Amino acid sequence: QEGAHPVLKRIRKQLIIETRAFSMLLLVYYDFFGGDRKSLLANVLLVTGLVLSIIQNVTGYILTRRPVRGNSIKALLAAHYTTLRRYAVVSVGCRVLLAACLLLFFMQVIKFTPEKYWMLATIVAVFIVQMVLLRRMWMKRIAQLKGAVDDFE
């Protein structure tokens, strides 16, 4: 049952929260965060990054809930392994792109001082840690699936 599956429930919950947050940011960024004072490129990159993240989230949910079909369990697992590896690269890439777009957008009108450089360095460090953790999570999932594929050989 899709509605009762614990992994799908968590993914769906994350999808809903992130999609709502990104959509709200898209609706208010121009007025609330001075999109009119930013360059056209910064606005386009921010919108592109947010829309790609929403699409990536929806694609991930669809990929996860899609039943895997095939003739043998080994072939099914191998196909799912390949798909998941590709999706992991896209997932991490979208997050890196979104982080870069957010930074670029919000840095457009800032007059940097030494304190602000330290704040920027802290924010970049937090983004890097998040990306490392996201990559590690994907690598763990992929390794588990690869182990299952290898068990059939």
Side-chain angles (χ1 to χ4, degrees):
Q1 291 283 349
E2 181 183 331
H5 195 281
V7 173
L8 287 177
K9 248 186 205 180
R10 285 194 311 267
I11 293 171
R12 189 172 45 250
K13 183 178 179 181
Q14 179 181 353
L15 170 72
I16 290 168
I17 290 169
E18 287 184 3
T19 302
R20 284 183 179 170
F22 293 159
S23 298
M24 287 303 297
L25 184 57
L26 278 171
L27 290 173
V28 301
Y29 87 93
Y30 196 80
D31 293 327
F32 287 15
F33 299 112
D36 57 331
R37 292 178 284 146
K38 311 288 195 305
S39 70
L40 177 62
L41 177 63
N43 281 285
V44 169
L45 286 175
L46 179 67
V47 170
T48 302
L50 289 168
V51 169
L52 283 176
S53 290
I54 291 170
I55 291 169
Q56 180 266 331
N57 281 341
V58 171
T59 303
Y61 180 73
I62 291 169
L63 178 70
T64 304
R65 71 171 244 238
R66 183 179 66 189
V68 182
R69 302 193 193 284
N71 295 333
S72 71
I73 292 176
K74 181 182 176 187
L76 294 171
L77 288 174
H80 192 62
Y81 169 76
T82 303
T83 303
L84 198 60
R85 281 186 56 196
R86 265 190 246 124
Y87 180 74
V89 170
V90 170
S91 177
V92 174
C94 279
R95 291 299 170 152
V96 169
L97 177 68
L98 178 60
C101 291
L102 285 168
L103 278 175
L104 179 68
F105 180 81
F106 286 109
M107 288 175 27
Q108 281 277 301
V109 294
I110 295 175
K111 303 283 190 261
F112 281 98
T113 63
E115 295 82 17
K116 289 180 182 174
Y117 279 118
W118 281 108
M119 289 171 55
L120 177 62
T122 302
I123 291 168
V124 169
V126 168
F127 279 152
I128 290 171
V129 168
Q130 287 177 338
M131 296 310 132
V132 167
L133 292 174
L134 180 63
R135 183 180 180 280
R136 186 177 297 161
M137 178 196 69
W138 276 113
M139 295 310 291
K140 182 180 174 185
R141 287 179 185 171
I142 290 169
Q144 288 173 340
L145 191 55
K146 177 71 171 147
V149 171
D150 291 345
D151 284 347
F152 280 96
E153 292 182 10

